[in-house]
Amino acid sequence: MEEFLVSVFKMAVPLLLCSLGTLFSEKAGTVNIGLEGSMLTGALFGVLGSYWTGSPYIGALIAMTSCVVLSLVFAFFTVTIRANQIVMGVAINTIATGLTISLNRIFLTSASVVKVNGFKSIPIPFLNKIPVIGEVLFDQTVPAYFAYILVFLTWFVYSKTDLGLRIRAVGEYPAACDTVGINVARLRYSTLLYGGIMAGLAGAYISTGQLSAFSEGMISGRGFTAYAAVIFGNFTPLGVFRSCMIFAVGMGLQYRLQAMDTPVSYYFWMMLPYIITIVALCMYRKRSNAPKYSGIPYVKG
Amino acid sequence: MAILEMKHVSKYFGKVAANVDVNLSVEQGEVHALLGENGAGKSTLMNILYGLYEQSSGHIYLNGERLKLRNPKDAINKGIGMVHQHFMLVPTLTVIENVVLGMDSNHAILDLKKSAEEFAEMAKNYDMPIDPWAKVSSLSVGQQQRAEILKALYRKASILILDEPTAVLTPQEATALFDVIRRLTAEKLTIILISHKMNEIMAVCNRCTVLRQGRVVATMPVSEIQDASQLAELMVGQQVKLTMDKKPSTPGPCVLKVQNISYKDKHKVSRLNKVSFQIHAGEIVGICGVDGNGQSELVRCITGLIHPSEGQILLGAEDISKEHTSEILKKGVSHIPEDRHKMGMIMDMSINENLILMSFHQKPFSKNKLLNWKWIRSHNEDIVETYNVKTPDIYERAGNLSGGNQQKFVVGRELDRKPALLVAMHPARGLDIGATKFIQQRLLEESERGAAVLLVSTELDEIMELSDRIVVMNSGNVVGIVNQAEATRERLGLMMASEV
Amino acid sequence: MNETKKNNAIFKTLKAAYYPLFALLIALILMAFIIKLMGYDPLNAYQVLFTSSIKSAYGWGETLAMAIALIFSALSFSIADRSGLINLGASGQLYMGGIAGMLVATNFEGLPSIIHIPLVLIAGGLTGAAFGAIASLLKNQFGASEVVTTMMFNYIAMHFCTYLISGPMKNPASDLAQSKSALPSAVLPLLLKGTRLHAGIFIAIAAILFYYILMYHTTVGYQMRVVGMNPKVGEYAGLKIKTNQLLAMAIAGGMAGLGGAIQATVIDVRLTIDWVGNLGFDGLAVAFLGGHSPIGIAISSVFFGLLLSSANKMEMLAKVPSSVVFLFQGIIIALIIGRRIFQLGLIAKWKSNYQNKKSEASDLLEMTRDAEKTKQDALALKQMTKKGSEE
């Protein structure tokens, strides 16, 4: 049981980082499926940074910086140029695939780097002694603790601050925001960049935090799952938290069931997270909080 | 001393002139009406004043100081507030969230409670109580407008622009709004009221400026206005008589019979209320009324795009009120839609492809699902020639044509089907005199051929010239049906503005 | 008369082709910089990439063999796109088509080729079609975004394939996770000795022709395009939007399924882990560079076929990682959909200023005419009101 919970939380951390990060830009009306590519890029640069400097933390910073650049390209094309957001997301994913494979071969494979320094867990005294959940929750790495805090932080910014109010308004009715003097383009740019930073961190957590290595295509759809979590979470912080946990349970279950000797083949359990995502999207009928202007570029005047 | 002056302001959108050399002077504490027809340039002028558009030339002065308005924020900071015709409220947020949205004085962490208290206090002082914690989507239209006005006042507006404020209100709500306006001017606020309804101008305004085709035609105190017809003349001008030789019609059998239809939109607001009329073959029936009084919903019901919640629509003897659009079109109904760009044509397709939109599935357009382009091409070339569409060839992208030529081919496409019933909505909107006359002539010929024609227009002249009978609509109701011989501008105007 | 029409058509084709060519040029320049940054010689890389294959029959054979698969993958995206859907599921549809094709191809020993091959193709096409249609059904029924579901179906199909080749379809004679080889009677014949160019090229050409005829010569395709370009107009004309999109998605899936069956039986001969690779998304780049037009897709599939089939050679000879081809694809897609990027700069501003001035001049003319009229109206009105007050 404990083992299962540990794996669930391991799966939840990158999902939480990425979905909570992208929640703001989604709520502000931009659809970013380039998350997959951002996470992949973050995963590679996290490992590269750790390899170069020996510190996974500097690695994570480099990962986030690389994703800022990628997000800037995405934001420029979708907000300023008003290109189709979904196709642009695919373009970003393709670019990220090419970039990561190339750089991986140039810097890592050719130097036969197998493992780099990863994040070390930092147990929190006393709390980690609580039976069952102690080890699960309080013997974790820094990005994992950050993910917990991020849930609260995102909720706070989303519902209590001026910025949160602007974000909630922009995806709903950009023209109205324009008439009260909000710069719609600037807000969309900044939320996209922020989402990129978080996706970069999530990617670095997957590579440096879980495997201490990079492998090609290692994100395998988790960026899409993070995007689906925002939709299924009805575009609210707590909803996103809930759907991330559901997806994480699905992923944890997958590993658990793979290890167990079930009559159903191991490969079917591999499909489980993807099937859960599809089912979740089909169950999301109410759409009460989905931004009305999602995916539609704003033309001033 | 004028508090606000606009001097020689002009605004062009590409080649289209929306405002030309406009001079406007507004005094403190007055209610200044801005009058004009649809497209006369009222809203554009006010959007310039609110910083949403930048004028192409001319200057704006506030208290003698020249204003440079780059965006709405500049205007708000100068004390200019605007209530748009389509409310600029985010429906999913609460009233107070909308009120403080985007304000510079907000702290990073919002103290909505304090703002709500201040706001509620202010609302009470103006005698416009409203619950700051209510979600905007749960408010009635009247309350939303109240929230919009208060939102502007909360931002310390001293000049308030109201864009057609009564267009969406019930008569009772409108009366309440007039009380509010009087109350505000008593507090030294200045109000600019955009409208095209004579009665409300007479009721609350001090002075009025009339715009026509983007230009100012008159500014005068309301007390000097004799009657509504004088304003009507100013707004519309004395148009060049389009001498249509309309022969007296000899109505045939009844083609369309609309019986007591009602329609409620998704917000459960009643848009049509027991509307009834009929059209016979060879007859043109005009629907006249101010935009947004149910004409659009009526047309959509008849063409099957929406279904009435009650009542019957008989085409011949068949009830079509529940039928799918494709079935209705097959029964010989043609439809010239209200917005040709959004509904009537596909900008990125060629004229050739646009022209088969309604008939592609019929012989000889296609056989066994294969399109017969050879036949289509010669057929379409005929249409383009008959309907005088100016284009290099029929393969030209439809979006590259001028508005008049686009409308001509849409009309050509619809009339080519020799409909039993032709539904035409604003067929000549935005067209020049030549194209207008051409299209109107075609409608007449259609009725002479024996088609029943339903003409929806906001142009009184067009309606009076062409229609055998005129159905006047107001707030989703039929106010009355007038025969052509008995129709005068004054009578129709009074009916359109009447309270039901 | 006929001559000018012909010229016009040529002119229009050129006009449609100039931007993709321009984007291609910009992408090549950008890529050269990136290759340089990675520390390699871009000119050397380009030389290998573009010239090595076209010098030999082998090179041409491999290029065209690659182009065959790309055509099906691209058509899968373009057909859905015409009806207004974004089909990111070509990979999954390729997998499913390949699996179904392979099931038929490894069984039915003794069937003559003339029956066996069509059976393989039909099985692949139908399975792909069904798989594609599911995404559209989920959208119509539950409103689930086809963008996410098609993507998820890719992973599901991939794992399903891995399951099959390590279980029920596994070749018992092999230690690896792979299926048995397709029976010779089920495999399309090769056309060029020593290369993998196969008779599938005729099916690919037929598929492009089918796409052209469907979209531009049938009422079915016409409806799809109307719905895809402007659903509002579709509604006005009485078209059924959901039905049209469902059909388009089924045809799109069928195309990819057909491609999958051909690719699996002829090129890969057996199913292996991850045999589809990036083929699904390569097709997307082909579709965009080709502007979704039949001829465009044909040309750009050969171009990308050349690129992809020579990429390994580039890695060997110029040491540049073959994966830069993906980078190149991504940049091309971005440039094609971001066409407005070249309308932003100074030229655009200067142009609009110039146009404004021109229109102002013509407006001025009209204005003076109108002002005259307005004046007369005002005069007439004044007299009227005077009369009114006298009365």
Side-chain angles (χ1 to χ4, degrees):
Chain A
M1 184 63 194
E2 208 174 302
E3 211 178 302
F4 171 62
L5 284 181
V6 169
S7 71
V8 166
F9 273 87
K10 264 214 174 107
M11 291 295 120
V13 169
L15 273 187
L16 280 173
L17 290 172
C18 192
S19 318
L20 290 171
T22 200
L23 170 64
F24 289 153
S25 63
E26 298 289 339
K27 189 66 188 160
T30 41
V31 175
N32 182 6
I33 61 165
L35 291 173
E36 180 83 9
S38 294
M39 278 173 96
L40 197 57
T41 311
L44 175 83
F45 277 93
V47 168
L48 270 182
S50 177
Y51 167 58
W52 285 329
T53 64
S55 158
Y57 301 102
I58 299 181
L61 279 180
I62 294 177
M64 294 195 261
T65 318
S66 66
C67 286
V68 166
V69 177
L70 211 58
S71 305
L72 202 60
V73 174
F74 182 82
F76 177 71
F77 272 90
T78 53
V79 180
T80 308
I81 305 290
R82 304 203 293 266
N84 182 312
Q85 296 172 4
I86 287 162
V87 181
M88 192 56 209
V90 174
I92 289 286
N93 290 340
T94 315
I95 289 174
T97 308
L99 193 72
T100 52
I101 297 178
S102 304
L103 296 183
N104 180 42
R105 288 186 192 163
I106 293 170
F107 291 111
L108 298 173
T109 320
S110 59
S112 338
V113 180
V114 184
K115 275 205 164 175
V116 296
N117 289 337
F119 297 108
K120 292 212 170 56
S121 3
I122 303 170
I124 296 179
F126 307 117
L127 289 178
N128 67 338
K129 294 288 186 296
I130 305 172
V132 190
I133 61 159
E135 202 185 324
V136 176
L137 288 176
F138 300 111
D139 190 7
Q140 290 284 353
T141 57
V142 174
Y145 291 131
F146 179 65
Y148 303 164
I149 301 170
L150 195 63
V151 177
F152 170 75
L153 217 60
T154 308
W155 168 80
F156 184 78
V157 171
Y158 183 91
S159 46
K160 297 287 169 197
T161 66
D162 187 43
L163 179 65
L165 178 60
R166 286 166 188 242
I167 289 170
R168 280 182 285 146
V170 159
E172 208 59 53
Y173 199 170
C177 293
D178 208 7
T179 62
V180 292
I182 293 173
N183 188 334
V184 176
R186 197 164 65 198
L187 195 75
R188 286 189 171 166
Y189 259 87
S190 30
T191 52
L192 281 172
L193 292 193
Y194 168 73
I197 291 174
M198 288 299 134
L201 181 61
Y205 178 82
I206 289 175
S207 60
T208 22
Q210 294 181 344
L211 300 169
S212 302
F214 178 81
S215 67
E216 290 169 8
M218 71 187 303
I219 301 302
S220 59
R222 271 181 276 193
F224 284 97
T225 308
Y227 166 63
V230 175
I231 302 176
F232 184 46
N234 200 16
F235 298 83
T236 64
L238 296 180
V240 169
F241 171 66
R242 196 168 46 230
S243 49
C244 281
M245 291 321 283
I246 292 174
F247 291 158
V249 167
M251 291 175 182
L253 211 59
Q254 165 203 343
Y255 289 112
R256 194 81 199 119
L257 293 167
Q258 277 174 30
M260 284 184 348
D261 202 20
T262 54
V264 182
S265 165
Y266 151 92
Y267 295 99
F268 278 98
W269 299 122
M270 301 265 283
M271 300 179 205
L272 192 63
Y274 307 109
I275 293 172
I276 291 180
T277 308
I278 292 176
V279 172
L281 282 184
C282 291
M283 277 164 50
Y284 174 58
R285 310 280 318 255
K286 237 177 106 199
R287 285 157 220 284
S288 52
N289 199 35
K292 205 170 157 204
Y293 282 76
S294 182
I296 303 167
Y298 177 60
V299 189
K300 228 180 131 139
Chain B
M1 170 63 197
I3 181 171
L4 175 85
E5 278 183 293
M6 296 179 92
K7 286 188 176 167
H8 307 292
V9 171
S10 300
K11 174 71 188 171
Y12 298 92
F13 294 103
K15 288 182 181 171
V16 184
N19 289 128
V20 181
D21 195 29
V22 171
N23 290 304
L24 177 70
S25 147
V26 181
E27 276 163 39
Q28 182 159 26
E30 75 167 336
V31 181
H32 195 110
L34 207 53
L35 226 78
E37 285 193 302
N38 285 320
K42 301 163 295 184
S43 291
T44 309
L45 189 66
M46 289 301 105
N47 281 333
I48 291 171
L49 185 55
Y50 191 59
L52 278 167
Y53 298 145
E54 202 177 340
Q55 67 268 32
S56 308
S57 61
H59 301 298
I60 304 169
Y61 299 89
L62 185 70
N63 287 319
E65 173 204 357
R66 195 167 132 193
L67 285 187
K68 178 105 182 97
L69 303 169
R70 282 156 307 165
N71 52 44
K73 197 159 232 170
D74 288 349
I76 294 168
N77 290 339
K78 294 290 176 190
I80 299 171
M82 181 162 178
V83 175
H84 291 81
Q85 194 176 0
H86 301 283
F87 298 146
M88 291 296 174
L89 294 169
V90 182
T92 50
L93 301 181
T94 62
V95 171
I96 189 65
E97 283 176 323
N98 267 290
V99 166
V100 300
L101 180 65
M103 283 181 75
D104 281 333
S105 55
N106 287 349
H107 295 290
I109 297 169
L110 288 173
D111 188 355
L112 283 180
K113 224 173 183 173
K114 191 172 142 235
S115 309
E117 274 166 22
E118 283 171 18
F119 176 76
E121 175 79 25
M122 184 192 82
K124 224 176 82 192
N125 285 342
Y126 282 114
D127 213 12
M128 288 193 273
I130 192 165
D131 175 13
W133 301 107
K135 223 181 207 186
V136 167
S137 57
S138 71
L139 298 180
S140 73
V141 176
Q143 284 172 312
Q144 289 188 23
Q145 187 175 60
R146 178 175 286 191
E148 274 276 49
I149 294 172
L150 287 167
K151 177 172 122 186
L153 296 176
Y154 191 76
R155 282 150 208 264
K156 310 254 181 306
S158 57
I159 298 175
L160 194 59
I161 306 163
L162 303 176
D163 190 355
E164 310 238 355
T166 57
V168 288
L169 298 184
T170 64
Q172 291 77 11
E173 284 174 323
T175 316
L177 174 71
F178 295 154
D179 289 339
V180 167
I181 290 175
R182 289 189 198 103
R183 174 82 205 236
L184 293 176
T185 46
E187 309 247 348
K188 287 282 168 238
L189 245 84
T190 309
I191 289 175
I192 302 177
L193 183 84
I194 302 180
S195 178
H196 53 213
K197 293 187 187 166
M198 287 40 122
N199 57 347
E200 60 188 58
I201 285 157
M202 308 291 239
V204 287
C205 298
N206 304 99
R207 291 196 304 154
C208 72
T209 293
V210 183
L211 285 180
R212 190 199 317 159
Q213 291 168 356
R215 296 168 187 77
V216 173
V217 281
T219 297
M220 61 172 97
V222 168
S223 55
E224 284 180 19
I225 299 171
Q226 273 93 30
D227 57 12
S229 72
Q230 183 193 354
L231 281 180
E233 282 294 341
L234 272 173
M235 269 164 62
V236 181
Q238 288 183 317
Q239 291 195 339
V240 188
K241 274 276 178 249
L242 300 174
T243 42
M244 293 282 158
D245 22 271
K246 179 167 165 51
K247 293 168 195 145
S249 69
T250 43
C254 178
V255 175
L256 179 79
K257 193 167 184 186
V258 176
Q259 276 179 321
N260 286 321
I261 62 164
S262 299
Y263 174 74
K264 286 188 175 61
D265 67 13
K266 62 173 187 245
H267 304 296
K268 301 270 174 267
V269 178
S270 172
R271 293 290 173 192
L272 289 175
N273 189 14
K274 296 209 180 299
V275 170
S276 298
F277 62 90
Q278 45 185 299
I279 313 178
H280 295 262
E283 198 181 33
I284 300 183
V285 168
I287 304 267
C288 98
V290 176
D291 245 354
N293 275 298
Q295 300 98 316
S296 176
E297 286 79 3
L298 176 64
V299 166
R300 290 158 68 85
C301 279
I302 294 171
T303 52
L305 292 166
I306 54 177
H307 301 297
S309 47
E310 54 182 283
Q312 279 189 322
I313 302 171
L314 298 175
L315 186 66
E318 265 178 290
D319 182 12
I320 55 164
S321 61
K322 304 267 181 308
E323 296 261 22
H324 188 264
T325 306
S326 56
E327 295 303 312
I328 295 173
L329 295 175
K330 268 186 209 150
K331 294 190 165 80
V333 177
S334 276
H335 177 192
I336 299 169
E338 55 182 313
D339 185 334
R340 61 179 165 269
H341 287 163
K342 283 193 189 134
M343 277 175 90
M345 49 172 276
I346 294 176
M347 309 280 264
D348 283 327
M349 275 188 170
S350 66
I351 299 170
N352 197 28
E353 288 180 302
N354 264 297
L355 279 175
I356 61 170
L357 185 62
M358 294 299 184
S359 327
F360 67 90
H361 45 71
Q362 293 165 0
K363 281 182 190 170
F365 288 85
S366 63
K367 214 171 125 188
N368 301 326
K369 298 202 184 296
L370 275 176
L371 290 162
N372 184 354
W373 282 119
K374 203 171 156 196
W375 184 86
I376 290 172
R377 192 186 68 213
S378 71
H379 180 71
N380 284 348
E381 271 166 356
D382 287 348
I383 295 184
V384 165
E385 204 180 302
T386 319
Y387 289 87
N388 212 359
V389 183
K390 288 199 187 65
T391 169
D393 57 37
I394 54 170
Y395 301 109
E396 187 69 21
R397 182 178 168 271
N400 291 349
L401 261 58
S402 74
N405 284 313
Q406 287 172 347
Q407 188 71 336
K408 278 187 203 163
F409 86 67
V410 170
V411 169
R413 179 184 72 206
E414 296 308 315
L415 298 191
D416 177 55
R417 298 168 56 216
K418 302 264 175 289
L421 171 68
L422 172 67
V423 180
M425 196 158 185
H426 310 309
R429 179 172 274 185
L431 304 184
D432 60 38
I433 298 280
T436 302
K437 194 170 174 182
F438 180 85
I439 283 168
Q440 291 174 342
Q441 192 61 46
R442 291 290 163 172
L443 294 185
L444 278 181
E445 284 168 18
E446 238 3 68
S447 76
E448 279 159 20
R449 181 181 63 79
V453 180
L454 179 67
L455 169 70
V456 180
S457 175
T458 49
E459 305 288 332
L460 279 183
D461 286 324
E462 182 174 68
I463 291 270
M464 293 195 317
E465 291 256 359
L466 298 176
S467 314
D468 296 295
R469 283 180 302 130
I470 301 167
V471 178
V472 186
M473 284 188 75
N474 188 351
S475 325
N477 293 286
V478 172
V479 185
I481 300 179
V482 185
N483 285 326
Q484 185 183 31
E486 301 152 16
T488 60
R489 291 184 72 82
E490 290 70 29
R491 183 166 175 199
L492 293 179
L494 284 174
M495 286 171 80
M496 280 159 65
S498 70
E499 284 165 15
V500 197
Chain C
M1 171 68 200
N2 233 341
E3 199 54 29
T4 52
K5 211 181 255 165
K6 221 195 237 161
N7 284 340
N8 221 347
I10 293 169
F11 178 70
K12 271 187 179 159
T13 321
L14 278 177
K15 223 173 133 187
Y18 103 91
Y19 184 75
L21 287 176
F22 179 65
L24 205 58
L25 187 73
I26 301 279
L28 281 173
I29 295 171
L30 269 174
M31 274 310 296
F33 275 107
I34 293 172
I35 292 174
K36 188 88 197 152
L37 272 178
M38 288 175 172
Y40 306 104
D41 179 7
L43 288 181
N44 188 16
Y46 281 175
Q47 201 186 357
V48 177
L49 204 53
F50 293 116
T51 61
S52 68
S53 286
I54 55 173
K55 278 192 218 143
S56 65
Y58 174 78
W60 271 109
E62 287 299 292
T63 297
L64 292 178
M66 190 71 220
I68 295 169
L70 289 176
I71 284 172
F72 289 110
S73 175
L75 286 179
S76 166
F77 183 82
S78 287
I79 291 171
D81 179 89
R82 297 285 87 166
S83 78
L85 290 179
I86 296 184
N87 175 20
L88 299 184
S91 293
Q93 293 144 16
L94 281 160
Y95 269 115
M96 297 311 276
I99 291 168
M102 215 56 187
L103 265 176
V104 177
T106 50
N107 291 306
F108 307 111
E109 202 160 359
L111 268 187
S113 281
I114 195 118
I115 299 172
H116 208 171
I117 293 175
L119 273 182
V120 169
L121 301 180
I122 289 168
L126 286 182
T127 313
F131 203 59
I134 295 174
S136 179
L137 279 175
L138 291 181
K139 180 174 190 156
N140 289 348
Q141 212 61 41
F142 303 108
S145 151
E146 84 278 10
V147 175
V148 183
T149 53
T150 50
M151 200 63 213
M152 292 293 131
F153 278 130
N154 288 343
Y155 291 104
I156 292 174
M158 185 181 78
H159 288 306
F160 182 60
C161 181
T162 316
Y163 157 72
L164 288 178
I165 57 178
S166 44
M169 279 179 82
K170 188 173 184 306
N171 181 1
S174 165
D175 289 338
L176 298 171
Q178 59 182 31
S179 72
K180 281 191 272 190
S181 302
L183 295 168
S185 60
V187 180
L188 285 160
L190 295 179
L191 293 183
L192 202 58
K193 239 190 176 159
T195 76
R196 293 186 291 177
L197 175 60
H198 54 84
I201 194 160
F202 302 118
I203 302 173
I205 292 170
I208 287 190
L209 272 175
F210 169 78
Y211 173 60
Y212 168 70
I213 291 169
L214 175 74
M215 286 301 160
Y216 300 99
H217 288 278
T218 70
T219 56
V220 181
Y222 176 78
Q223 290 186 52
M224 285 179 191
R225 287 191 296 134
V226 170
V227 166
M229 283 195 202
N230 193 333
K232 269 254 153 69
V233 176
E235 234 168 59
Y236 155 72
L239 306 183
K240 290 174 177 116
I241 292 166
K242 286 181 176 179
T243 319
N244 271 298
Q245 291 188 331
L246 178 65
L247 183 61
M249 208 48 197
I251 298 176
M255 281 291 171
L258 190 59
I262 292 174
Q263 182 77 357
T265 52
V266 190
I267 300 291
D268 297 319
V269 192
R270 58 183 72 82
L271 298 175
T272 53
I273 288 179
D274 199 23
W275 63 273
V276 168
N278 205 54
L279 197 52
F281 288 94
D282 295 338
L284 202 137
V286 171
F288 272 99
L289 184 64
H292 304 302
S293 83
I295 296 179
I297 288 174
I299 295 172
S300 71
S301 69
V302 174
F303 173 77
F304 273 108
L306 174 71
L307 226 60
L308 289 164
S309 65
S310 324
N312 285 329
K313 219 180 276 169
M314 174 182 72
E315 184 157 352
M316 271 185 330
L317 296 176
K319 301 280 176 283
V320 181
S322 58
S323 49
V324 295
V325 173
F326 297 144
L327 255 174
F328 186 73
Q329 284 178 3
I331 292 173
I332 291 256
I333 297 174
L335 287 176
I336 297 272
I337 59 165
R339 195 175 178 151
R340 275 191 65 238
I341 199 171
F342 298 104
Q343 298 166 7
L344 284 179
L346 281 170
I347 304 166
K349 228 176 212 168
W350 172 81
K351 220 167 149 187
S352 76
N353 273 348
Y354 173 74
Q355 270 171 0
N356 255 350
K357 260 187 208 140
K358 232 168 70 177
S359 68
E360 256 171 61
S362 68
D363 276 345
L364 221 70
L365 253 174
E366 219 166 279
M367 247 161 59
T368 35
R369 243 183 281 144
D370 282 4
E372 216 32 54
K373 213 182 91 195
T374 317
K375 222 193 252 165
Q376 284 172 1
D377 286 357
L379 267 175
L381 192 91
K382 228 184 212 166
Q383 284 174 347
M384 229 178 64
T385 34
K386 231 189 221 162
K387 245 192 257 160
S389 57
E390 274 165 14
E391 278 167 23

